[in-house]
Amino acid sequence: MSDIEHLIEDALKPPGAAPPPPSPDLFARVLDSVHDDQARRRRLRRDVAAWVAGVAAATTLVLVLTPRSNGELHMPWWILEVATNLALVAIALWLGPFIKRFGRAYAADVFHDNPLTGKSYIVLTDIVYYLIFSAYILFTVRFAPQSTWNNEFTGLVTAEQLTVEVARIGGILLIIGILHGLNIVLMPVLGRLFSLNRRVDRHGERLGDRP
């Protein structure tokens, strides 16, 4: 414990009282904490390895599929479009759950009075997130070169197309950040409202039981 916790414990402890015995499940909780930390490290290593392998595979496919002329790469526009769509799907499927791992304790603390409601709320927000991500990807996908890309005749990647694709990736990162930011702000309010409703219902039941 910290110094402040020791001071609070000394202030609340009766004079001459013996220190409280250690919790019987303290060792088991320590072991669980160690195992959880090891599991988190393994997941982190797997995620890093998966991303490194994905980037390496994508780079290899680009170099293999892209035609060359005089030693220069001439990438058709659809290769960059497909790669951007795959990157958007990977970000949506990985970044959301990755952020949620760090918010489980926060959600459990907010919905401590009604944990079942908290679990349902998290599931519903996940569904809403993935619907928004899917809609964003479908709204921005292109099946033919755009006039603003200046590659209608060549069919090759231009700086204008690259700017658009980078903006698409930045857009989904912005959406993920805004949604999780709103969730952080709204979750305590909703948890408080749910707790108040539950207390009001209990109070009403008690009043109804009185003769």
Side-chain angles (χ1 to χ4, degrees), residues 167-198:
R168 292 178 63 195
I169 296 177
I172 197 170
L173 293 177
L174 179 62
I175 291 175
I176 293 175
I178 291 176
L179 291 177
H180 281 86
L182 291 175
N183 195 25
I184 291 173
V185 175
L186 294 178
M187 190 182 296
V189 178
L190 295 176
R192 184 65 176 173
L193 290 176
F194 292 149
S195 299
L196 289 176
N197 290 335
R198 192 169 184 178

mmCIF file of all heavy atoms in Angstrom, residues 167-198:
data_model
loop_
_atom_site.group_PDB
_atom_site.id
_atom_site.type_symbol
_atom_site.label_atom_id
_atom_site.label_comp_id
_atom_site.label_asym_id
_atom_site.label_seq_id
_atom_site.Cartn_x
_atom_site.Cartn_y
_atom_site.Cartn_z
ATOM 1 N N ALA A 167 -5.875 9.655 -46.529
ATOM 2 C CA ALA A 167 -6.961 10.332 -45.816
ATOM 3 C C ALA A 167 -8.015 9.332 -45.354
ATOM 4 O O ALA A 167 -8.621 9.509 -44.284
ATOM 5 C CB ALA A 167 -7.588 11.396 -46.716
ATOM 6 N N ARG A 168 -8.263 8.283 -46.125
ATOM 7 C CA ARG A 168 -9.230 7.251 -45.703
ATOM 8 C C ARG A 168 -8.747 6.556 -44.436
ATOM 9 O O ARG A 168 -9.533 6.319 -43.514
ATOM 10 C CB ARG A 168 -9.423 6.233 -46.830
ATOM 11 C CG ARG A 168 -10.123 6.772 -48.058
ATOM 12 C CD ARG A 168 -10.209 5.697 -49.121
ATOM 13 N NE ARG A 168 -11.018 4.571 -48.663
ATOM 14 C CZ ARG A 168 -11.031 3.373 -49.253
ATOM 15 N NH1 ARG A 168 -10.249 3.149 -50.317
ATOM 16 N NH2 ARG A 168 -11.803 2.413 -48.797
ATOM 17 N N ILE A 169 -7.471 6.224 -44.380
ATOM 18 C CA ILE A 169 -6.938 5.580 -43.171
ATOM 19 C C ILE A 169 -7.003 6.541 -41.989
ATOM 20 O O ILE A 169 -7.390 6.162 -40.867
ATOM 21 C CB ILE A 169 -5.495 5.107 -43.425
ATOM 22 C CG1 ILE A 169 -5.477 4.021 -44.502
ATOM 23 C CG2 ILE A 169 -4.861 4.592 -42.136
ATOM 24 C CD1 ILE A 169 -4.090 3.536 -44.867
ATOM 25 N N GLY A 170 -6.650 7.795 -42.231
ATOM 26 C CA GLY A 170 -6.773 8.774 -41.160
ATOM 27 C C GLY A 170 -8.212 8.968 -40.718
ATOM 28 O O GLY A 170 -8.485 9.197 -39.537
ATOM 29 N N GLY A 171 -9.149 8.859 -41.655
ATOM 30 C CA GLY A 171 -10.558 9.017 -41.307
ATOM 31 C C GLY A 171 -11.062 7.933 -40.375
ATOM 32 O O GLY A 171 -11.770 8.216 -39.399
ATOM 33 N N ILE A 172 -10.697 6.675 -40.638
ATOM 34 C CA ILE A 172 -11.173 5.612 -39.756
ATOM 35 C C ILE A 172 -10.504 5.694 -38.391
ATOM 36 O O ILE A 172 -11.122 5.397 -37.359
ATOM 37 C CB ILE A 172 -10.959 4.227 -40.403
ATOM 38 C CG1 ILE A 172 -11.833 3.184 -39.691
ATOM 39 C CG2 ILE A 172 -9.500 3.798 -40.357
ATOM 40 C CD1 ILE A 172 -11.877 1.849 -40.395
ATOM 41 N N LEU A 173 -9.244 6.140 -38.341
ATOM 42 C CA LEU A 173 -8.605 6.352 -37.033
ATOM 43 C C LEU A 173 -9.307 7.465 -36.264
ATOM 44 O O LEU A 173 -9.496 7.365 -35.039
ATOM 45 C CB LEU A 173 -7.129 6.693 -37.232
ATOM 46 C CG LEU A 173 -6.234 5.582 -37.795
ATOM 47 C CD1 LEU A 173 -4.817 6.105 -38.005
ATOM 48 C CD2 LEU A 173 -6.220 4.371 -36.874
ATOM 49 N N LEU A 174 -9.725 8.518 -36.970
ATOM 50 C CA LEU A 174 -10.453 9.606 -36.320
ATOM 51 C C LEU A 174 -11.801 9.119 -35.800
ATOM 52 O O LEU A 174 -12.214 9.470 -34.683
ATOM 53 C CB LEU A 174 -10.644 10.760 -37.307
ATOM 54 C CG LEU A 174 -11.411 11.975 -36.792
ATOM 55 C CD1 LEU A 174 -10.672 12.622 -35.624
ATOM 56 C CD2 LEU A 174 -11.634 12.986 -37.913
ATOM 57 N N ILE A 175 -12.497 8.311 -36.582
ATOM 58 C CA ILE A 175 -13.794 7.789 -36.145
ATOM 59 C C ILE A 175 -13.630 6.913 -34.910
ATOM 60 O O ILE A 175 -14.405 7.015 -33.941
ATOM 61 C CB ILE A 175 -14.459 7.001 -37.292
ATOM 62 C CG1 ILE A 175 -14.868 7.958 -38.410
ATOM 63 C CG2 ILE A 175 -15.664 6.230 -36.794
ATOM 64 C CD1 ILE A 175 -15.422 7.264 -39.633
ATOM 65 N N ILE A 176 -12.620 6.049 -34.917
ATOM 66 C CA ILE A 176 -12.391 5.187 -33.749
ATOM 67 C C ILE A 176 -12.087 6.028 -32.519
ATOM 68 O O ILE A 176 -12.615 5.777 -31.419
ATOM 69 C CB ILE A 176 -11.243 4.202 -34.045
ATOM 70 C CG1 ILE A 176 -11.657 3.202 -35.125
ATOM 71 C CG2 ILE A 176 -10.830 3.455 -32.773
ATOM 72 C CD1 ILE A 176 -10.547 2.275 -35.554
ATOM 73 N N GLY A 177 -11.250 7.048 -32.672
ATOM 74 C CA GLY A 177 -10.928 7.908 -31.531
ATOM 75 C C GLY A 177 -12.135 8.656 -31.008
ATOM 76 O O GLY A 177 -12.346 8.750 -29.787
ATOM 77 N N ILE A 178 -12.971 9.207 -31.911
ATOM 78 C CA ILE A 178 -14.159 9.949 -31.475
ATOM 79 C C ILE A 178 -15.144 9.032 -30.773
ATOM 80 O O ILE A 178 -15.705 9.376 -29.716
ATOM 81 C CB ILE A 178 -14.812 10.644 -32.684
ATOM 82 C CG1 ILE A 178 -13.909 11.773 -33.192
ATOM 83 C CG2 ILE A 178 -16.183 11.198 -32.313
ATOM 84 C CD1 ILE A 178 -14.434 12.441 -34.452
ATOM 85 N N LEU A 179 -15.383 7.852 -31.330
ATOM 86 C CA LEU A 179 -16.348 6.933 -30.721
ATOM 87 C C LEU A 179 -15.910 6.490 -29.333
ATOM 88 O O LEU A 179 -16.708 6.480 -28.387
ATOM 89 C CB LEU A 179 -16.549 5.712 -31.623
ATOM 90 C CG LEU A 179 -17.279 5.965 -32.948
ATOM 91 C CD1 LEU A 179 -17.349 4.686 -33.766
ATOM 92 C CD2 LEU A 179 -18.678 6.499 -32.688
ATOM 93 N N HIS A 180 -14.640 6.136 -29.181
ATOM 94 C CA HIS A 180 -14.166 5.715 -27.867
ATOM 95 C C HIS A 180 -14.099 6.898 -26.897
ATOM 96 O O HIS A 180 -14.331 6.727 -25.696
ATOM 97 C CB HIS A 180 -12.796 5.044 -27.991
ATOM 98 C CG HIS A 180 -12.873 3.626 -28.478
ATOM 99 N ND1 HIS A 180 -12.902 3.313 -29.819
ATOM 100 C CD2 HIS A 180 -12.946 2.442 -27.816
ATOM 101 C CE1 HIS A 180 -12.968 1.996 -29.963
ATOM 102 N NE2 HIS A 180 -12.999 1.445 -28.768
ATOM 103 N N GLY A 181 -13.796 8.089 -27.401
ATOM 104 C CA GLY A 181 -13.822 9.259 -26.532
ATOM 105 C C GLY A 181 -15.219 9.561 -26.019
ATOM 106 O O GLY A 181 -15.411 9.847 -24.827
ATOM 107 N N LEU A 182 -16.224 9.488 -26.910
ATOM 108 C CA LEU A 182 -17.602 9.676 -26.470
ATOM 109 C C LEU A 182 -18.028 8.595 -25.489
ATOM 110 O O LEU A 182 -18.759 8.867 -24.527
ATOM 111 C CB LEU A 182 -18.533 9.681 -27.691
ATOM 112 C CG LEU A 182 -18.419 10.883 -28.638
ATOM 113 C CD1 LEU A 182 -19.324 10.673 -29.849
ATOM 114 C CD2 LEU A 182 -18.776 12.164 -27.911
ATOM 115 N N ASN A 183 -17.563 7.383 -25.730
ATOM 116 C CA ASN A 183 -17.916 6.291 -24.827
ATOM 117 C C ASN A 183 -17.331 6.521 -23.437
ATOM 118 O O ASN A 183 -17.983 6.246 -22.421
ATOM 119 C CB ASN A 183 -17.409 4.969 -25.403
ATOM 120 C CG ASN A 183 -18.035 3.772 -24.715
ATOM 121 O OD1 ASN A 183 -19.114 3.858 -24.162
ATOM 122 N ND2 ASN A 183 -17.355 2.646 -24.769
ATOM 123 N N ILE A 184 -16.100 7.029 -23.365
ATOM 124 C CA ILE A 184 -15.479 7.306 -22.068
ATOM 125 C C ILE A 184 -16.269 8.374 -21.311
ATOM 126 O O ILE A 184 -16.443 8.298 -20.087
ATOM 127 C CB ILE A 184 -14.017 7.747 -22.272
ATOM 128 C CG1 ILE A 184 -13.177 6.570 -22.779
ATOM 129 C CG2 ILE A 184 -13.419 8.289 -20.983
ATOM 130 C CD1 ILE A 184 -11.763 6.957 -23.161
ATOM 131 N N VAL A 185 -16.776 9.374 -22.036
ATOM 132 C CA VAL A 185 -17.517 10.454 -21.392
ATOM 133 C C VAL A 185 -18.925 10.010 -21.006
ATOM 134 O O VAL A 185 -19.424 10.338 -19.908
ATOM 135 C CB VAL A 185 -17.573 11.684 -22.324
ATOM 136 C CG1 VAL A 185 -18.443 12.777 -21.726
ATOM 137 C CG2 VAL A 185 -16.167 12.215 -22.567
ATOM 138 N N LEU A 186 -19.594 9.269 -21.876
ATOM 139 C CA LEU A 186 -20.987 8.907 -21.640
ATOM 140 C C LEU A 186 -21.152 7.724 -20.706
ATOM 141 O O LEU A 186 -22.182 7.604 -20.034
ATOM 142 C CB LEU A 186 -21.676 8.597 -22.975
ATOM 143 C CG LEU A 186 -21.841 9.760 -23.947
ATOM 144 C CD1 LEU A 186 -22.485 9.284 -25.243
ATOM 145 C CD2 LEU A 186 -22.687 10.860 -23.320
ATOM 146 N N MET A 187 -20.161 6.835 -20.658
ATOM 147 C CA MET A 187 -20.321 5.631 -19.845
ATOM 148 C C MET A 187 -20.576 5.934 -18.372
ATOM 149 O O MET A 187 -21.476 5.334 -17.763
ATOM 150 C CB MET A 187 -19.109 4.708 -20.016
ATOM 151 C CG MET A 187 -19.295 3.334 -19.389
ATOM 152 S SD MET A 187 -17.845 2.268 -19.552
ATOM 153 C CE MET A 187 -17.760 2.077 -21.325
ATOM 154 N N PRO A 188 -19.832 6.846 -17.717
ATOM 155 C CA PRO A 188 -20.149 7.142 -16.305
ATOM 156 C C PRO A 188 -21.551 7.714 -16.119
ATOM 157 O O PRO A 188 -22.223 7.406 -15.125
ATOM 158 C CB PRO A 188 -19.075 8.155 -15.904
ATOM 159 C CG PRO A 188 -17.974 7.958 -16.873
ATOM 160 C CD PRO A 188 -18.622 7.561 -18.146
ATOM 161 N N VAL A 189 -22.009 8.538 -17.074
ATOM 162 C CA VAL A 189 -23.361 9.104 -16.967
ATOM 163 C C VAL A 189 -24.410 7.999 -17.048
ATOM 164 O O VAL A 189 -25.351 7.945 -16.240
ATOM 165 C CB VAL A 189 -23.579 10.152 -18.068
ATOM 166 C CG1 VAL A 189 -24.991 10.712 -18.011
ATOM 167 C CG2 VAL A 189 -22.558 11.274 -17.948
ATOM 168 N N LEU A 190 -24.239 7.096 -18.023
ATOM 169 C CA LEU A 190 -25.193 6.000 -18.160
ATOM 170 C C LEU A 190 -25.133 5.059 -16.967
ATOM 171 O O LEU A 190 -26.173 4.581 -16.484
ATOM 172 C CB LEU A 190 -24.901 5.228 -19.453
ATOM 173 C CG LEU A 190 -25.106 6.018 -20.754
ATOM 174 C CD1 LEU A 190 -24.692 5.170 -21.952
ATOM 175 C CD2 LEU A 190 -26.546 6.454 -20.892
ATOM 176 N N GLY A 191 -23.914 4.779 -16.483
ATOM 177 C CA GLY A 191 -23.797 3.927 -15.293
ATOM 178 C C GLY A 191 -24.484 4.530 -14.090
ATOM 179 O O GLY A 191 -25.138 3.832 -13.309
ATOM 180 N N ARG A 192 -24.347 5.851 -13.935
ATOM 181 C CA ARG A 192 -25.022 6.530 -12.823
ATOM 182 C C ARG A 192 -26.527 6.479 -12.976
ATOM 183 O O ARG A 192 -27.262 6.241 -11.991
ATOM 184 C CB ARG A 192 -24.551 7.987 -12.769
ATOM 185 C CG ARG A 192 -25.103 8.777 -11.596
ATOM 186 C CD ARG A 192 -24.606 8.222 -10.288
ATOM 187 N NE ARG A 192 -25.053 9.039 -9.172
ATOM 188 C CZ ARG A 192 -24.880 8.710 -7.896
ATOM 189 N NH1 ARG A 192 -24.249 7.587 -7.582
ATOM 190 N NH2 ARG A 192 -25.316 9.514 -6.948
ATOM 191 N N LEU A 193 -27.036 6.687 -14.185
ATOM 192 C CA LEU A 193 -28.479 6.626 -14.409
ATOM 193 C C LEU A 193 -29.025 5.230 -14.146
ATOM 194 O O LEU A 193 -30.082 5.073 -13.511
ATOM 195 C CB LEU A 193 -28.800 7.045 -15.849
ATOM 196 C CG LEU A 193 -28.588 8.522 -16.188
ATOM 197 C CD1 LEU A 193 -28.846 8.768 -17.663
ATOM 198 C CD2 LEU A 193 -29.489 9.406 -15.335
ATOM 199 N N PHE A 194 -28.304 4.205 -14.608
ATOM 200 C CA PHE A 194 -28.751 2.848 -14.358
ATOM 201 C C PHE A 194 -28.769 2.537 -12.865
ATOM 202 O O PHE A 194 -29.689 1.880 -12.361
ATOM 203 C CB PHE A 194 -27.848 1.846 -15.093
ATOM 204 C CG PHE A 194 -27.974 1.896 -16.586
ATOM 205 C CD1 PHE A 194 -26.897 1.587 -17.411
ATOM 206 C CD2 PHE A 194 -29.173 2.260 -17.176
ATOM 207 C CE1 PHE A 194 -27.017 1.649 -18.779
ATOM 208 C CE2 PHE A 194 -29.300 2.322 -18.552
ATOM 209 C CZ PHE A 194 -28.218 2.011 -19.360
ATOM 210 N N SER A 195 -27.760 3.013 -12.145
ATOM 211 C CA SER A 195 -27.710 2.778 -10.701
ATOM 212 C C SER A 195 -28.858 3.483 -9.990
ATOM 213 O O SER A 195 -29.494 2.924 -9.087
ATOM 214 C CB SER A 195 -26.372 3.254 -10.133
ATOM 215 O OG SER A 195 -25.298 2.554 -10.712
ATOM 216 N N LEU A 196 -29.151 4.730 -10.405
ATOM 217 C CA LEU A 196 -30.253 5.460 -9.790
ATOM 218 C C LEU A 196 -31.589 4.783 -10.083
ATOM 219 O O LEU A 196 -32.456 4.684 -9.187
ATOM 220 C CB LEU A 196 -30.269 6.901 -10.307
ATOM 221 C CG LEU A 196 -29.125 7.800 -9.817
ATOM 222 C CD1 LEU A 196 -29.216 9.168 -10.484
ATOM 223 C CD2 LEU A 196 -29.152 7.949 -8.304
ATOM 224 N N ASN A 197 -31.779 4.311 -11.313
ATOM 225 C CA ASN A 197 -33.024 3.610 -11.638
ATOM 226 C C ASN A 197 -33.183 2.352 -10.804
ATOM 227 O O ASN A 197 -34.287 2.032 -10.346
ATOM 228 C CB ASN A 197 -33.055 3.260 -13.129
ATOM 229 C CG ASN A 197 -33.208 4.476 -14.013
ATOM 230 O OD1 ASN A 197 -33.740 5.493 -13.578
ATOM 231 N ND2 ASN A 197 -32.744 4.385 -15.241
ATOM 232 N N ARG A 198 -32.073 1.652 -10.603
ATOM 233 C CA ARG A 198 -32.144 0.432 -9.809
ATOM 234 C C ARG A 198 -32.483 0.747 -8.358
ATOM 235 O O ARG A 198 -33.276 0.045 -7.725
ATOM 236 C CB ARG A 198 -30.815 -0.316 -9.902
ATOM 237 C CG ARG A 198 -30.856 -1.737 -9.366
ATOM 238 C CD ARG A 198 -29.597 -2.474 -9.729
ATOM 239 N NE ARG A 198 -29.653 -3.857 -9.305
ATOM 240 C CZ ARG A 198 -28.683 -4.750 -9.536
ATOM 241 N NH1 ARG A 198 -27.610 -4.371 -10.214
ATOM 242 N NH2 ARG A 198 -28.800 -5.996 -9.129
#
